[in-house]
C-alpha cells in the first residue's frame, strides 16, 4: 500500500526488473489489480518495470469521491515517489486511456512517453459522434452516467452481480455485444482466465471505483490535450473492430493531439490489442523514452 497526498491509501504492485524504467499501466473499466503475465513479460523484454495500481474505489484503494480523470496524476506521482523513480513511461487500456493521458499531460517533466490503447475521447468531443459504432451495453451505461449518480449506480449494481463470480468459460457471454467477433476470438485460455479474474476483483468491494470512473469520463477531465504531443510523445492505438470504444475515438485523439504516433489498425478489436500488440506498444514506449 502507498499513501496518497491527501491521506488515502493506494493498492500497488510492481513486477519485472527492479532497476528498469517504470511503465505505469492504467487498467480498463472495470478492472481489479490482477497481474497479466504476458503483459509483464512484454514490458520486461524492453527493460521496463511494470507498475500497476487500483484506482480509487477499486480493491483496497480508498475511494476519492467526485474524482476527475486528472486526479490520477497526483496518485501516480505519489507511487513513483514511493518507489524512488524520477522518470517513467505510461500506458492505459480502455478506461485507462484517459487516465494515462492525464498522467502524461500533468507530469510532463517526469513522463517520457505515453500510449493510449483503445482509450475513449472526452465527452462531448467536437466533431465526434461519441456513441457511433458503440455496443448497446455501453450506450446504456454511458447514458446512465450522463444522467447522474443515481442512474449509473442502479445499472452498475445489476451488472456487478453478473460479474461477481464470472468464470473464464462465461466471459464471452457476459460481455455480450461489447465483444466483437475479433475480440471473441482471443477470449480463450490464459486471457479469458485473466479477464474473468479482473472483473471479479473489480467488483469484489462494490461498484464505487467503476461508478466513479464512468462519472469522470463524461465530465470535464480536468486537463487539456492541447500541447500534450509536443510536451510528451504520444502513441494512439485503436482497432476498427472495437464495439466498446469505437474506432472514431482513436481517430479523434490522433487528429487532436499534435505529433501523435497513430496506430489505427484494421481487423483489431478492443481486447485483441492486449494479445497482438503488446510487444510493439512497449517497444515503442521504450524507444520514445530513449529519444528524450
Amino acid at each position: 500500500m502507498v499513501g496518497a497526498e491527501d491521506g488515502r491509501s493506494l493498492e500497488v504492485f510492481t513486477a519485472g526488473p527492479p532497476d528498469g524504467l517504470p511503465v505505469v499501466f492504467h487498467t480498463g473499466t472495470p478492472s481489479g489489480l490482477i497481474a497479466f503475465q504476458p503483459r509483464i513479460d512484454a514490458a520486461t523484454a524492453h527493460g521496463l518495470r511494470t507498475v500497476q495500481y487500483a484506482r480509487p474505489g477499486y480493491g483496497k484503494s480508498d475511494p476519492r469521491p467526485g474524482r476527475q480523470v486528472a486526479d490520477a496524476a497526483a496518485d501516480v506521482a505519489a507511487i513513483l515517489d514511493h518507489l524512488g523513480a524520477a522518470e517513467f513511461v505510461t500506458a492505459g487500456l480502455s478506461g485507462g486511456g484517459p487516465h494515462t493521458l492525464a498522467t502524461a499531460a500533468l507530469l510532463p517533466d517526469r513522463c517520457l512517453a505515453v500510449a493510449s490503447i483503445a482509450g475513449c475521447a472526452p465527452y462531448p468531443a467536437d466533431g465526434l459522434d461519441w456513441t457511433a459504432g458503440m455496443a448497446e451495453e455501453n450506450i446504456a451505461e454511458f447514458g446512465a452516467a450522463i444522467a447522474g449518480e443515481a442512474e449509473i449506480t442502479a445499472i452498475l449494481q445489476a451488472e456487478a452481480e453478473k460479474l461477481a463470480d464470472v468464470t473464464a468459460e462465461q466471459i464471452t457471454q457476459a460481455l455480450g455485444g461489447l465483444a466483437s467477433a475479433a475480440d471473441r476470438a482471443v477470449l480463450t485460455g490464459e486471457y479469458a482466465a485473466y479477464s474473468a479474474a479482473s472483473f471479479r476483483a473489480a467488483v469484489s468491494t462494490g461498484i464505487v471505483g467503476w461508478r466513479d470512473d464512468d462519472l469522470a469520463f463524461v465530465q470535464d477531465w480536468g486537463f487539456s490535450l492541447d500541447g500534450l504531443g509536443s510536451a510528451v510523445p504520444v502513441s494512439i492505438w485503436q482497432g476498427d473492430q472495437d464495439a466498446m470504444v469505437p474506432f472514431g475515438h482513436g481517430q479523434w485523439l490522433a487528429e487532436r493531439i499534435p505529433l501523435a504516433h497513430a496506430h489505427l489498425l484494421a481487423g483489431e478489436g478492443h481486447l485483441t490489442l492486449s494479445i497482438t500488440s503488446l510487444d510493439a506498444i512497449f517497444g515503442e514506449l521504450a524507444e520514445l523514452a530513449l529519444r528524450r
Side-chain angles (χ1 to χ4, degrees):
M1 303 296 289
V2 173
E5 62 178 7
D6 58 0
R8 289 174 296 108
S9 292
L10 297 166
E11 186 180 8
V12 179
F13 86 71
T14 64
D19 59 347
L21 177 68
V23 53
V24 178
F25 192 87
H26 298 263
T27 54
T29 300
S31 294
L33 196 62
I34 302 294
F36 182 46
Q37 195 60 47
R39 188 164 61 219
I40 294 169
D41 291 343
T44 298
H46 294 283
L48 302 174
R49 179 189 188 190
T50 296
V51 178
Q52 195 171 314
Y53 75 106
R55 282 193 293 277
Y58 287 109
K60 297 178 182 177
S61 290
D62 294 328
R64 182 170 185 168
R67 61 179 164 91
Q68 289 184 296
V69 172
D71 293 328
D75 286 348
V76 168
I79 293 167
L80 294 170
D81 290 345
H82 177 81
L83 297 174
E87 297 178 321
F88 71 104
V89 295
T90 182
L93 171 66
S94 188
H99 294 93
T100 204
L101 293 176
T103 303
L106 298 174
L107 300 174
D109 294 336
R110 302 179 72 169
C111 185
L112 301 180
V114 56
S116 173
I117 310 162
C120 64
Y123 178 88
D126 184 38
L128 174 66
D129 184 345
W130 209 79
T131 59
M134 187 178 287
E136 289 298 325
E137 292 91 337
N138 265 9
I139 292 175
E141 182 175 328
F142 286 117
I146 293 165
E149 184 172 331
E151 288 81 358
I152 190 60
T153 296
I155 279 188
L156 296 188
Q157 284 177 336
E159 291 302 312
E161 291 180 6
K162 301 175 186 177
L163 296 179
D165 57 0
V166 69
T167 66
E169 293 73 24
Q170 298 167 337
I171 192 66
T172 300
Q173 182 179 358
L175 286 172
L178 293 169
S180 65
D183 288 328
R184 291 195 298 272
V186 300
L187 271 173
T188 61
E190 183 179 14
Y191 189 50
Y194 159 75
S195 298
S198 181
F199 281 136
R200 293 195 302 268
V203 299
S204 63
T205 55
I207 64 163
V208 172
W210 189 357
R211 179 202 67 198
D212 290 353
D213 271 358
D214 280 356
L215 290 172
F217 294 144
V218 298
Q219 299 178 33
D220 182 0
W221 284 5
F223 69 98
S224 174
L225 295 175
D226 295 341
L228 175 58
S230 300
V232 180
V234 179
S235 295
I236 303 297
W237 296 79
Q238 180 71 44
D240 70 351
Q241 300 300 306
D242 191 334
M244 297 190 203
V245 178
F247 192 56
H249 286 241
Q251 292 175 306
W252 189 93
L253 288 169
E255 291 169 359
R256 296 310 193 280
I257 298 175
L259 307 177
H261 301 261
H263 304 275
L264 305 176
L265 306 175
E268 297 286 354
H270 190 80
L271 304 175
T272 63
L273 295 172
S274 291
I275 302 297
T276 63
S277 300
L278 288 178
D279 182 71
I281 291 168
F282 289 122
E284 184 174 57
L285 281 173
E287 180 182 351
L288 292 172
L290 285 175
R291 294 181 190 175
R292 294 285 303 275

